[in-house]
Amino acid sequence: MTIVVAAILAGCASHRKVADGTRQKREFRGAWIQCVNGQFMGMGTRAMQRELSRQLDVLQRDGVNAIIFQVRAECDALYASPYEPWSRFLTGVQGKAPSPYWDPLAWMVDECHKRGMELHAWINPYRAKSKTTTELAATHIARRQPGRAFAYDGQLILNPGIPDNREYICRVVADIVRRYDVDGLHIDDYFYPYPAPGQVIPDNEQHRLYGNGIADRGDWRRYNVNLFIKQLADTIKSVKPWVKFGVSPFGIYRNKRNSPAGSDTKGLQNYDDLYADVLLWVNNGWVDYCVPQLYWQIGHAAADYKTLIEWWNSHASARPLYIGEDVERTAKYADPANPRQNQLPAKRALHAQMHSVQGTVLWYAKAVVDNIGNYGTMLREVYWRYPALQPAMPFIDGKAPRKVRRLKALWTEDGYMLFWTPPKGRGWKDEACQYVVYRFAKGEKPDIGNPSNIVGITRQTFIRLPYEDGRSKYTYVVTALDRMHNEGKPAKRKVKL
């Protein structure tokens, strides 16, 4: 055992005390599962399902309540798309269907929901070919209509300056949202390509045709991306208003040397280099949540983590703010204030101090599953020890469902069970889709605000009770959750276990 890991384990008790004193009943606890790194490529149906099941089981035990699953890496699909070819990151050959046949997105929706997790479908909107892809399927958009994409640094990029590309991406997204019971639609930081030395974005013709009177090329490119974000948001809400639209931008909006409102950093910028005006999207309510990728360590010379989390906390509070965390880097670097341990405790302490931060997304899921630097253990035993509901989004829906009905305990062939009937509700804003079950010992005042009392979050209308000898009295409380995790009033039932 390394000194760093030993020190963290030794400090577990003190950190648990802090965590217990600041329990968060609502917190987004996400993890990115990506395909573009090739972790599933050519694995085969059964092996991939086993691996995904293993990852989901571990992540569930570690407290994760949302999975962000990459389903479109390069205008391809890890689902049955009528518009785009099967991904090579699934089968090894773009356009080749999996055999035995399955639909990974449909399967993941079911598996995540069974575990009480949300599933957010993650797409890369503009990237049409990554650097490692050598052949595109005949049905690929860049093969069918090559003028829609431009080459840049070994990639192909759908040109954001072409209005038909916005229409095309929105059509693809509408299909996903319409046919799959996803909880969110997620895009990351790839808008205009990351700058590469000697490379020029070839969009003179598009600027001439669609310039809309905007002379400055940077302003025009930002205008294109802004139009896309607004159109994508409207598309999602027109199909299913409850599906959350999230964006995960690069971690620096602007540097202070470029703008007085920027952060005290010296790195690549969303606004100036990627033409992504993220704060405009947040402040206009075009996105439902924002996850800046703060992958650096505390003390980084050009992009200090503490500086950046404080900046985003101050500037992006118009919508729920979650922080994208690099698991490996957090585990690798020592805390400058306590060199005997890694930076996880210090970063979690910063999270607790930020009034606008309502969650975390982990990059990447497998690093947590592999328990790099004891990261997963610390989540499970300390920071995410108790369950958490999703953060409220009253701008989508703030009305809670009604109380569950007919709460009763009965013996069955499967044991002693607690049953209830869903509350009456009409429409997605009123219908219950999950339930929270709490347990309280005899004489304990029921407190549903404390997540340590939660014994289950389920989509079923029953839960098995841990019967022993019938001598111990408990009060069980059940509440209903709607799609936006608004929580109804409690229903109570006393039982003897």
Side-chain angles (χ1 to χ4, degrees), residues 426-441:
R426 180 179 300 175
W428 68 270
K429 288 187 177 183
D430 298 325
E431 293 173 349
C433 64
Q434 286 180 277
Y435 305 92
V436 189
V437 182
Y438 305 82
R439 188 173 86 157
F440 304 92

Side-chain angles (χ1 to χ4, degrees), residues 18-242:
V18 172
D20 286 357
T22 57
R23 294 178 182 132
Q24 296 295 315
K25 183 178 175 179
R26 292 187 178 272
E27 185 178 16
F28 191 89
R29 301 171 176 176
W32 281 291
I33 296 182
Q34 82 276 40
C35 68
V36 76
N37 67 343
Q39 65 172 317
F40 306 119
M41 189 161 56
M43 185 177 281
T45 299
R46 302 290 179 253
M48 183 172 171
Q49 289 176 349
R50 284 194 299 271
E51 174 59 16
L52 284 169
S53 294
R54 182 183 75 88
Q55 291 193 25
L56 292 178
D57 287 343
V58 175
L59 293 168
Q60 181 187 22
R61 290 195 296 270
D62 288 345
V64 169
N65 62 16
I67 297 296
I68 300 175
F69 181 52
Q70 189 175 30
V71 300
R72 182 183 184 267
E74 48 180 7
C75 294
D76 55 0
L78 268 79
Y79 64 97
S81 172
Y83 301 111
E84 298 184 312
W86 285 100
S87 176
R88 79 175 182 92
F89 296 113
L90 177 63
T91 63
V93 178
Q94 192 177 91
K96 180 181 177 182
S99 180
Y101 182 86
W102 70 307
D103 185 320
L105 177 55
W107 188 90
M108 281 290 286
V109 167
D110 289 342
E111 292 298 313
C112 286
H113 286 175
K114 283 194 301 188
R115 292 169 173 82
M117 297 172 169
E118 288 194 343
L119 188 285
H120 294 224
W122 162 23
I123 72 163
N124 303 93
Y126 290 114
R127 186 170 59 198
K129 185 189 84 68
S130 61
K131 292 183 180 181
T132 58
T133 296
T134 57
E135 186 175 356
L136 299 177
T139 56
H140 192 278
I141 183 66
R143 285 279 301 275
R144 291 188 288 110
Q145 301 182 49
R148 300 270 290 270
F150 61 78
Y152 189 93
D153 195 30
Q155 306 174 86
L156 286 178
I157 309 295
L158 288 184
N159 195 327
I162 299 177
D164 283 349
N165 282 339
R166 295 194 293 271
E167 297 288 342
Y168 175 73
I169 299 166
C170 288
R171 187 160 61 250
V172 168
V173 167
D175 173 65
I176 293 172
V177 173
R178 183 177 297 112
R179 292 194 295 119
Y180 296 89
D181 189 20
V182 296
D183 301 286
L185 192 288
H186 184 89
I187 63 175
D188 55 20
D189 53 329
Y190 293 100
F191 303 105
Y192 278 89
Y194 276 63
Q199 301 281 318
V200 177
I201 295 174
D203 59 0
N204 289 336
E205 179 67 10
Q206 288 72 38
H207 185 245
R208 184 183 67 81
L209 291 172
Y210 310 113
N212 200 37
I214 304 171
D216 182 83
R217 192 62 59 93
D219 288 342
W220 177 70
R221 289 171 180 167
R222 278 184 287 275
Y223 168 77
N224 292 329
V225 180
N226 292 341
L227 286 177
F228 166 68
I229 295 295
K230 178 63 166 64
Q231 184 175 344
L232 185 57
D234 290 344
T235 297
I236 294 167
K237 299 307 179 186
S238 70
V239 179
K240 289 178 181 174
W242 60 85

Side-chain angles (χ1 to χ4, degrees), residues 4 8 15 298 305 325 327 329-335 341-351 360 362 372-379 382-383:
V4 170
I8 291 178
H15 289 304
I298 298 169
Y305 180 93
E325 298 280 3
V327 172
R329 186 170 295 203
T330 300
K332 173 183 176 181
Y333 285 94
D335 179 359
Q341 65 184 24
N342 69 30
Q343 293 196 355
L344 177 59
K347 287 186 175 182
R348 295 309 305 178
L350 283 170
H351 275 239
T360 307
L362 305 172
I372 291 175
N374 224 43
Y375 201 106
T377 299
M378 291 296 287
L379 292 179
V382 184
Y383 303 110

Side-chain angles (χ1 to χ4, degrees), residues 333-407:
Y333 285 94
D335 179 359
N338 188 352
R340 291 178 56 82
Q341 65 184 24
N342 69 30
Q343 293 196 355
L344 177 59
K347 287 186 175 182
R348 295 309 305 178
L350 283 170
H351 275 239
Q353 296 167 21
M354 302 296 125
H355 61 86
S356 297
V357 174
Q358 300 181 50
T360 307
V361 184
L362 305 172
W363 177 259
Y364 49 100
K366 193 172 184 300
V368 184
V369 173
D370 292 343
N371 204 23
I372 291 175
N374 224 43
Y375 201 106
T377 299
M378 291 296 287
L379 292 179
R380 185 182 308 185
E381 296 185 355
V382 184
Y383 303 110
W384 293 352
R385 182 183 179 190
Y386 302 115
L389 309 187
Q390 297 295 335
M393 292 188 175
F395 49 87
I396 297 178
D397 172 36
K399 183 181 178 182
R402 296 181 180 180
K403 182 189 294 189
V404 301
R405 300 173 294 154
R406 302 188 185 96
L407 183 62

Side-chain angles (χ1 to χ4, degrees), residues 266-344:
K266 301 181 181 66
L268 185 102
Q269 304 160 102
N270 275 290
Y271 185 92
D272 303 84
D273 301 312
L274 303 178
Y275 308 103
D277 192 352
V278 182
L279 289 192
L280 178 72
W281 313 339
V282 169
N283 290 328
N284 284 354
W286 296 346
V287 298
D288 298 319
Y289 67 87
C290 180
V291 192
Q293 298 172 17
L294 305 192
Y295 290 168
W296 303 278
Q297 68 271 24
I298 298 169
H300 190 283
D304 173 54
Y305 180 93
K306 182 176 184 293
T307 296
L308 282 166
I309 194 172
E310 290 174 346
W311 187 92
W312 284 98
N313 179 69
S314 298
H315 290 82
S317 61
R319 283 292 183 261
L321 173 65
Y322 315 142
I323 302 300
E325 298 280 3
D326 186 314
V327 172
E328 291 186 353
R329 186 170 295 203
T330 300
K332 173 183 176 181
Y333 285 94
D335 179 359
N338 188 352
R340 291 178 56 82
Q341 65 184 24
N342 69 30
Q343 293 196 355
L344 177 59

